[in-house]
Amino acid sequence: MASYTNYVMAQSLEEAYALNQKKSAVIVAGNMWLRMCGLRRQTAIDLSKLGLDAIEETQDAFIVGSMTSLRALETHEALNRETGGAFREALAPIVGTQFRRTATVGGSVYARFGFSDVSALLLALDAQVELYKRGVVPLEEYQRETWDRDILTHVRIPKGRRAGIASVRLSKTDFPVLVCAASTDGETLRLVMGARPARAMVVADGLRLTADLQDWEALAGSVPLGTNLRASEAYRRKIAPVLMQRAVQACLGGNEDDH
Ligand SMILES: Cc1cc2nc3c(=O)[nH]c(=O)nc-3n(C[C@H](O)[C@H](O)[C@H](O)COP(=O)(O)OP(=O)(O)OC[C@H]3O[C@@H](n4cnc5c(N)ncnc54)[C@H](O)[C@@H]3O)c2cc1C
């Protein structure tokens, strides 16, 4: 159980940012991860009153506030229409509906969990993050960085890509053993592997739909994979090409494969 001496409902991003510069403070979003960590901090900073829980659609992107719940992403009609239902598919396996009503996109992206289905899909869609002080940064870059004390305010998901995702779990609702997310702009493919078990990374980009879609074994062979308590590197290597193929089929709107 986490414990905090002071609980501050931030009234502005500037206030939240200023408070968060102290190492004794922590941003609290859905609190689903934090509360499991047994963390003790002087000050918890709650962002709930800052209007960061909306999904705005513009001409060329969806702008998702960091306090938006995973459930809101999963059930957002326009976002799912644009991406071929990818958010519905990607988020449904995460724990349970009530959990996803509370866990946020900001908490997921900031934490850069290796096992994150959320980050894998957002990376495949070439999302960007908006940070209060630093401004807009490609998620691909943010994902490689270490945790800092800036505040993630929004995730920007560009329009124009369909996506698909495939994962293996030892049991339903468990963390994934391996995740593959694919997206296409209609001409080329982008592939991401997550739960390697390290953080999700882009493993291929610009693959031509017509010419480059055959040797999943070779491509999977070049992905850095490892071992953790859920699975060995050898097991991950075995299932990686199958997940790649499934994610690509899902993103191209194909039928279930026969693996
Ligand atoms: C039991 C369990 C199972 C899970 N299984 C999966 C799974 O299978 N797949 C998956 O993808 N995810 C999974 N998750 C992760 C989950 O989806 C969320 O990512 C996680 O709970 C964090 O979101 P939160 O809103 O609860 O963040 P919190 O727990 O509140 O915060 C997490 C971290 O992010 C920081 N933070 C939060 N918001 C911001 C912000 N706006 N700016 C800066 N820092 C911020 C916090 O300070 C903290 O360090 C699981 C989590 C749990 C607890």
Side-chain angles (χ1 to χ4, degrees), residues 24-55:
S24 56
V26 66
I27 301 282
V28 176
N31 200 29
M32 301 308 272
W33 186 261
L34 279 176
R35 71 180 185 175
M36 284 206 338
C37 298
L39 194 76
R40 282 167 198 273
R41 286 285 186 277
Q42 186 72 19
T43 308
I45 308 160
D46 190 326
L47 307 179
S48 317
K49 293 278 185 263
L50 301 181
L52 295 174
D53 57 350
I55 303 177

Side-chain angles (χ1 to χ4, degrees), residues 34-98:
L34 279 176
R35 71 180 185 175
M36 284 206 338
C37 298
L39 194 76
R40 282 167 198 273
R41 286 285 186 277
Q42 186 72 19
T43 308
I45 308 160
D46 190 326
L47 307 179
S48 317
K49 293 278 185 263
L50 301 181
L52 295 174
D53 57 350
I55 303 177
E56 186 200 342
E57 182 175 1
T58 68
Q59 213 170 0
D60 57 359
F62 290 90
I63 315 291
V64 182
S66 63
M67 291 293 283
T68 302
S69 71
L70 298 185
R71 180 69 177 163
L73 276 181
E74 176 189 350
T75 56
H76 196 274
E77 269 187 37
L79 189 55
N80 276 296
R81 206 178 316 116
E82 181 73 22
T83 57
F87 282 88
R88 213 168 26 239
E89 286 300 312
L91 305 189
I94 302 176
V95 188
T97 309
Q98 287 172 330

Side-chain angles (χ1 to χ4, degrees), residues 16-223:
Y17 178 83
L19 287 168
N20 198 39
Q21 297 320 295
K22 288 201 171 162
K23 282 196 175 149
S24 56
V26 66
I27 301 282
V28 176
N31 200 29
M32 301 308 272
W33 186 261
L34 279 176
R35 71 180 185 175
M36 284 206 338
C37 298
L39 194 76
R40 282 167 198 273
R41 286 285 186 277
Q42 186 72 19
T43 308
I45 308 160
D46 190 326
L47 307 179
S48 317
K49 293 278 185 263
L50 301 181
L52 295 174
D53 57 350
I55 303 177
E56 186 200 342
E57 182 175 1
T58 68
Q59 213 170 0
D60 57 359
F62 290 90
I63 315 291
V64 182
S66 63
M67 291 293 283
T68 302
S69 71
L70 298 185
R71 180 69 177 163
L73 276 181
E74 176 189 350
T75 56
H76 196 274
E77 269 187 37
L79 189 55
N80 276 296
R81 206 178 316 116
E82 181 73 22
T83 57
F87 282 88
R88 213 168 26 239
E89 286 300 312
L91 305 189
I94 302 176
V95 188
T97 309
Q98 287 172 330
F99 178 93
R100 299 195 298 279
R101 281 193 199 287
T102 310
T104 64
V105 67
S108 300
V109 171
Y110 174 84
R112 293 118 160 154
F113 300 117
F115 57 75
S116 181
D117 300 275
V118 183
S119 299
L121 177 58
L122 290 172
L123 264 181
L125 288 167
D126 204 11
Q128 298 169 318
V129 296
E130 195 174 327
L131 304 165
Y132 177 59
K133 281 292 167 190
R134 196 166 143 205
V136 176
V137 179
L139 176 59
E140 198 176 344
E141 184 181 324
Y142 188 68
Q143 176 77 357
R144 286 195 295 259
E145 295 175 357
T146 186
W147 303 273
D148 64 13
R149 307 202 72 81
D150 208 344
I151 295 178
L152 200 161
T153 61
H154 297 88
V155 174
R156 186 180 182 281
I157 304 168
K159 285 184 173 175
R161 299 190 82 88
R162 285 176 59 90
I165 192 158
S167 63
V168 163
R169 290 171 147 80
L170 297 181
S171 63
K172 212 173 164 188
T173 78
D174 193 6
F175 296 110
V177 163
L178 193 65
V179 179
C180 183
S183 83
T184 181
D185 56 7
E187 288 179 3
T188 62
L189 265 179
R190 180 175 164 97
L191 279 180
V192 169
M193 299 287 315
R196 301 176 295 110
R199 292 176 183 177
M201 64 181 285
V202 178
V203 298
D205 200 4
L207 291 180
R208 288 160 302 153
L209 286 180
T210 44
D212 296 336
L213 295 192
Q214 55 307 70
D215 202 351
W216 302 121
E217 298 265 348
L219 184 53
S222 66
V223 177

Side-chain angles (χ1 to χ4, degrees), residues 207-244:
L207 291 180
R208 288 160 302 153
L209 286 180
T210 44
D212 296 336
L213 295 192
Q214 55 307 70
D215 202 351
W216 302 121
E217 298 265 348
L219 184 53
S222 66
V223 177
L225 298 173
T227 297
N228 68 354
L229 56 84
R230 282 197 167 65
S232 64
E233 178 187 343
Y235 179 71
R236 286 189 164 92
R237 210 156 288 292
K238 197 94 183 152
I239 62 175
V242 180
L243 290 190
M244 282 180 173

